Amino acid sequence: MIAITANNITSPLGWSTVDNYRAVASGQSCLRRYDGLWGVRDPFAASLFSAGQWETIMLDDRFTRFESLLVRSIETALASTEVDPLSPKVLLIVSSTKGNIELLDPAIPSPSGRSRSEALHLGNAALAVASYFRMSNLPIVVSNACVSGLSAQIAACRALRSGRYDYVIVAGAEVLSRFIVTGFQSLKALSPQPCKPFDIDRSGLNLGEAAATIILRRTMEKEKVEGWTIGAYDTCNDACHISSPSHSAEGCYKALKSVTKGVKAADLAMINLHGTSTLYNDEMEAKALHRAGLTDIPVNSLKGYYGHTMGAAGIVESVLSMHGIDAHTILGTRGYSECGVRHAVNISDMSRPTNKHIMVKTLSGFGGANVAIRYQKGDSA
């Protein structure tokens, strides 16, 4: 069994999971419209750290913004545990889609002691973070588009089940830049207004900066766990298109069916969806739910609070959803008003009560990647 030992969310909404939950539960968001930022011609909406917040986050000049953000999140998660990062039984897995990509801009200084080209490699960024904690093991990097945060957790589960490690620290982060924003704009995917997941008036996604950490551990045989555990996981690539989701929702449907096998639908508290607010993604997820017979299960999307945090999304959204269920709450979908997908989904802009303790998190990404994880608490399943 794989148990969750500790977690953290570091975002423009707060430095801890508790801070973030309180902000989201009260309806707060840092999404705002930006005109001309970084010289980007077209306006876009995003959730960005302020200059003052970056002053708090930054380490010394040996580390980039991305690396500093990861370190701050990992430090906060570790502080509530007795996990020794120096132990050979502890592994770090870093999840990100972009890493230090902002260093493509020559105006951004490269970290002291490293060349720009060296620092641009995501593996070297992970090594810098691991060296900060003086870790014994080489870190692993998972960079698999939007599904990276869940794929990294699956990699952690496999590492723990191998018996080589007692703990795996999974940390994901993204820092936005001109390169990232203009790239998404070239796909006609960004909205200049705060996003509206599954809504009839949705016009595209927003991007967001954040870091999140989840520390997993291998439990002892027959150990009774009262906290959250990972009950099942699956990944399915339907190889539909380099950037568009499957119109039949094949991969997402198969991943959902796999992780809900053996669990009664009535026992599910909720499904936290990818919910990017793009025309095709939301439609695809609604179809997957319909095909899987899960349209009556409460669902939500957290993109209206954070935007799409890419490599951090699978950790941010899983952690926050579990924290909500601990508070007997299914968080509302900010920006949602009227259903805009052909297959109805059980979604609301208001928070709803729950007394159940099993949830599913899904993500879908470029290249046809689809991942789902089932989390459960105690003896829920």
Side-chain angles (χ1 to χ4, degrees):
M1 185 184 301
I2 307 301
I4 297 170
T5 295
N7 60 71
N8 167 262
I9 299 172
T10 298
S11 83
L13 287 173
W15 304 121
S16 70
T17 301
V18 171
D19 289 342
N20 276 267
Y21 178 75
R22 287 173 178 167
V24 170
S26 66
Q28 295 180 45
S29 171
C30 286
L31 286 172
R32 53 161 288 197
R33 176 180 169 127
Y34 290 90
D35 291 273
L37 181 66
W38 302 317
V40 175
R41 181 186 63 189
D42 297 323
F44 63 94
S47 177
L48 305 178
F49 288 106
S50 68
Q53 288 175 319
W54 277 119
E55 288 180 3
T56 301
I57 293 167
M58 288 300 294
L59 302 173
D60 60 52
D61 63 5
R62 295 173 299 165
F63 299 90
T64 64
R65 295 201 301 169
F66 169 70
E67 294 156 5
S68 298
L69 186 55
L70 278 171
V71 167
R72 295 302 190 193
S73 179
I74 294 168
E75 278 187 323
T76 304
L78 282 171
S80 63
T81 75
E82 297 182 355
V83 176
D84 180 6
L86 281 70
S87 169
K89 302 293 283 184
V90 176
L91 175 69
L92 171 65
I93 298 181
V94 171
S95 163
S96 184
T97 67
K98 308 301 181 185
N100 282 325
I101 203 73
E102 67 173 351
L103 294 179
L104 288 174
D105 183 347
I108 305 294
S110 58
S112 175
R114 285 184 284 164
S115 68
R116 187 177 301 275
S117 59
E118 179 187 1
L120 270 167
H121 286 281
L122 189 48
N124 290 332
L127 283 171
V129 174
S131 68
Y132 177 90
F133 292 100
R134 295 183 294 163
M135 289 183 161
S136 302
N137 296 304
L138 286 174
I140 291 174
V141 172
V142 175
S143 185
N144 189 15
C146 302
V147 305
S148 298
L150 292 187
S151 295
Q153 292 180 60
I154 292 176
C157 290
R158 291 170 175 163
L160 289 166
R161 287 186 168 130
S162 75
R164 294 179 61 188
Y165 309 99
D166 292 335
Y167 294 93
V168 178
I169 301 167
V170 183
E174 298 292 353
V175 176
L176 296 185
S177 64
R178 174 185 171 85
F179 178 87
I180 297 172
V181 171
T182 55
F184 274 90
Q185 285 183 333
S186 72
L187 296 172
K188 309 297 182 184
L190 292 191
S191 170
Q193 307 300 331
C195 63
K196 300 170 71 68
F198 295 94
D199 192 80
I200 194 169
D201 292 326
R202 67 190 186 278
S203 59
L205 63 82
N206 306 146
L207 296 171
E209 295 180 324
T213 301
I214 188 167
I215 301 178
L216 305 178
R217 71 177 178 91
R218 179 166 51 91
T219 64
M220 303 297 290
E221 188 176 354
K222 297 182 180 180
E223 177 183 348
K224 183 177 176 62
V225 178
E226 295 183 356
W228 285 96
T229 62
I230 292 181
Y233 51 80
D234 200 5
T235 178
C236 180
N237 192 313
D238 52 37
C240 173
H241 187 271
I242 192 170
S243 61
S244 295
S246 166
H247 293 296
S248 66
E250 191 67 19
C252 187
Y253 156 72
K254 286 182 176 179
L256 273 171
K257 286 293 287 184
S258 175
V259 301
T260 56
K261 184 178 181 180
V263 176
K264 295 179 181 178
D267 291 334
L268 289 172
M270 59 166 289
I271 302 172
N272 175 249
L273 299 171
H274 194 29
T276 61
S277 300
T278 60
L279 180 64
Y280 297 117
N281 176 86
D282 292 6
E283 192 71 62
M284 180 276 292
E285 287 194 289
K287 187 163 190 175
L289 290 168
H290 173 74
R291 290 185 63 188
L294 298 170
T295 52
D296 291 334
I297 306 304
V299 301
N300 69 358
S301 165
L302 298 174
K303 299 296 191 295
Y305 304 97
Y306 294 99
H308 189 347
T309 57
M310 296 174 284
I315 309 171
V316 169
E317 295 168 8
S318 298
V319 167
L320 201 70
S321 296
M322 285 185 278
H323 201 84
I325 291 176
D326 283 339
H328 305 290
T329 300
I330 301 167
L331 292 164
T333 300
R334 192 176 192 273
Y336 176 80
S337 178
E338 181 182 352
C339 184
V341 289
R342 282 175 289 181
H343 297 285
V345 290
N346 185 358
I347 192 169
S348 173
D349 63 329
M350 303 294 291
S351 291
R352 293 175 282 177
T354 184
N355 58 3
K356 301 172 183 178
H357 295 94
I358 305 175
M359 61 155 282
V360 171
K361 167 65 187 158
T362 66
L363 287 177
S364 298
F366 286 179
N370 299 271
V371 181
I373 295 181
R374 187 182 83 231
Y375 302 91
Q376 55 203 40
K377 192 168 184 180
D379 298 324
S380 299

